[in-house]
Amino acid sequence: MLLTRDYGVELDGLKTQLAELQEIVKEIVKNSSSKETRIKEDCDQSGKLLADINTGQGELGGIFFSGQYLGEKSRYRWEPHERDVKQLLDLDSDKVAKILSALGHKQRIDIIRAVLQQPLTGTELVDRLNMGTTGQLYHHIKALLGADLLTQEERGGNYSFPGHRALPFLLLLAAVSELLDTSDYMELSEARNNAGDYLGTSPEEYDPHLLLRSVLENTILEHQAGYCSDVSVVFHSDGSVTVADNGRGIPVQSFSNSEKPRVQAVLTEISRFSASFNAPNSQKGITIPIVNTLSQRLTVEVRREGKVFRQEYKHGIPQTPLLTVGLTNETGTSLTFFPDKEIFHSGFDQSLFANEIADISETFPNLKIHLLTD
């Protein structure tokens, strides 16, 4: 039996299917373009979201996330998840605190970070983390094993991190990285609340000249290192004061694995630097971060690398990023600060401070100190 095919009809059918497919693709592209346009309209030029997108969530909105973790020996994928913000805020506080406290130990975090990079034996962990003995290690490993935050291949074998826990833990670290600076600000806030530990007298007698003396002490250290020969102390009519030197200028580059410029660390990290000045009868020394947090406002200006950099603070907290505001052939640092009136009930007295300047000049005759009023 001879079969014949009507290729014309078949071709017409294929054309129809192709036309339908083209319409579907056009519709998909149209919807995608429309969504992208809406998102762009909700963003400013920096790409930051300006307006909430209607997601059908409650008035507090929702969190949407997905991703995958690909390790050397494991792979785990999170399909798209959705969490209502109100539901997250209503989580049991006791349980949340227990989870965070279980992880909130330096050595446990170090253990997890180590085995995330590669499976390790107990001996290798002790050596890598410089623990000295295995007793301390196994105390934390026992807790991590019981919490399903660590696995062991076999008795005496390698420890590794469970694949299904990897992505949540890494996301937690990502969130923490966005909050790292808050630990510095909490320390600064504690310093404000305990100003007497640094100022050494009763609140009625707190002396703002102690802050000025501390800033000047840092300039003297720069002079002793051979990099500063000239400093100006300018008393302003609004009650603030500026100390400007011709030293090297505080470094502005960011630390490795951080976006924080070094000058911001100098001004906000209490524990990073030792104090160069102690007030009489004080328990702790006054560092630049202490000057910063006890000031209602502070502005730092750094001149180095052919540029002028500036950043502003309020009670120790940055109000601006480190900005490049000009070009210069000079080097040095200028600090302008206004002591907080809630802490200091008296202002600067230029004539009183002149006596201290005279003593400094006698001790360091090669350091020129100019006492000025604007």
Side-chain angles (χ1 to χ4, degrees):
M1 182 175 181
L2 181 63
L3 296 177
T4 61
R5 298 175 61 182
D6 190 337
Y7 290 103
V9 173
E10 291 182 18
L11 184 60
D12 289 340
L14 289 174
K15 288 181 178 179
T16 300
Q17 293 177 17
L18 180 60
E20 292 175 351
L21 181 60
Q22 287 176 331
E23 290 300 321
I24 292 174
V25 172
K26 287 180 180 178
E27 188 66 25
I28 292 174
V29 171
K30 178 181 178 181
N31 291 338
S32 176
S33 176
S34 175
K35 180 179 179 181
E36 182 180 352
T37 301
R38 289 198 304 272
I39 293 177
K40 285 183 177 179
E41 290 175 351
D42 287 334
C43 297
D44 63 11
Q45 293 181 348
S46 67
K48 294 181 179 179
L49 197 63
L50 295 177
D52 292 335
I53 299 175
N54 186 6
T55 62
Q57 295 281 345
E59 63 179 47
L60 293 179
I63 300 293
F64 301 85
F65 55 94
S66 64
Q68 65 178 6
Y69 167 69
L70 181 60
E72 187 175 330
K73 293 185 178 181
S74 61
R75 179 174 181 173
Y76 183 75
R77 179 179 179 83
W78 257 4
E79 297 301 328
H81 283 62
E82 175 182 344
R83 293 288 187 272
D84 188 281
V85 171
K86 187 177 186 307
Q87 181 184 22
L88 295 177
L89 297 180
D90 287 340
L91 288 174
D92 188 306
S93 297
D94 287 333
K95 291 184 177 180
V96 171
K98 287 180 180 179
I99 294 171
L100 294 179
S101 63
L103 291 171
H105 189 288
K106 179 183 182 303
Q107 290 183 331
R108 290 180 184 176
I109 292 175
D110 286 342
I111 291 169
I112 293 174
R113 291 194 303 185
V115 299
L116 262 174
Q117 297 177 57
Q118 67 179 101
L120 297 169
T121 65
T123 302
E124 290 171 334
L125 279 169
V126 170
D127 292 340
R128 180 163 299 192
L129 302 180
N130 298 315
M131 286 188 168
T133 63
T134 58
Q136 194 176 28
L137 170 71
Y138 290 125
H139 170 75
H140 296 301
I141 280 184
K142 185 176 180 181
L144 293 172
L145 286 170
D148 191 28
L149 291 171
L150 206 63
T151 60
Q152 189 176 24
E153 297 173 358
E154 57 187 20
R155 186 175 181 83
N158 288 333
Y159 292 99
S160 59
F161 198 68
H164 67 288
R165 300 290 193 189
L167 193 56
F169 180 76
L170 292 174
L171 288 175
L172 182 60
L173 289 185
V176 168
S177 70
E178 293 294 317
L179 298 172
L180 278 179
D181 54 1
T182 60
S183 63
D184 300 326
Y185 305 151
M186 290 176 70
E187 283 189 299
L188 292 173
S189 178
E190 286 295 317
R192 281 180 55 80
N193 294 334
N194 298 281
D197 292 347
Y198 303 90
L199 301 176
T201 58
S202 62
E204 294 75 18
E205 299 174 346
Y206 286 163
D207 184 1
H209 295 90
L210 295 173
L211 305 186
L212 177 54
R213 185 66 175 83
S214 176
V215 175
L216 196 56
E217 187 66 27
N218 280 269
T219 294
I220 293 173
L221 291 176
E222 186 77 346
H223 169 68
Q224 289 179 301
Y227 297 102
C228 175
S229 60
D230 193 281
V231 57
S232 296
V233 180
V234 185
F235 293 93
H236 303 288
S237 58
D238 65 355
S240 64
V241 65
T242 296
V243 178
D245 65 43
N246 66 342
R248 290 168 291 182
I250 302 174
V252 295
Q253 298 88 353
S254 298
F255 289 100
S256 59
N257 301 322
S258 172
E259 296 182 358
K260 179 189 292 188
R262 292 176 184 267
V263 62
Q264 184 171 321
V266 170
L267 285 159
T268 58
E269 297 185 14
I270 293 178
S271 57
R272 181 178 288 272
F273 305 98
S274 59
S276 57
F277 174 75
N278 287 72
N281 303 317
S282 64
Q283 299 178 31
K284 301 176 182 179
I286 301 176
T287 59
I288 294 300
I290 299 302
V291 174
N292 195 7
T293 193
L294 298 183
S295 296
Q296 183 174 321
R297 64 177 185 271
L298 180 146
T299 300
V300 61
E301 184 177 281
V302 177
R303 301 175 298 282
R304 62 180 292 153
E305 302 171 8
K307 298 178 182 179
V308 181
F309 304 90
R310 181 180 298 158
Q311 190 171 28
E312 297 180 1
Y313 294 80
K314 178 180 180 180
H315 293 158
I317 300 177
Q319 302 299 298
T320 67
L322 183 64
L323 304 173
T324 302
V325 296
L327 302 175
T328 183
N329 293 323
E330 300 177 353
T331 62
T333 302
S334 297
L335 275 180
T336 300
F337 62 96
F338 185 91
D340 194 337
K341 289 186 176 180
E342 293 184 2
I343 298 174
F344 300 95
H345 303 302
S346 61
F348 292 112
D349 186 327
Q350 181 175 342
S351 60
L352 181 64
F353 199 70
N355 296 328
E356 191 156 2
I357 293 295
D359 293 338
I360 295 174
S361 296
E362 184 176 347
T363 306
F364 303 98
N366 294 324
L367 177 61
K368 297 180 181 179
I369 304 178
H370 309 279
L371 207 56
L372 307 171
T373 304
D374 69 358

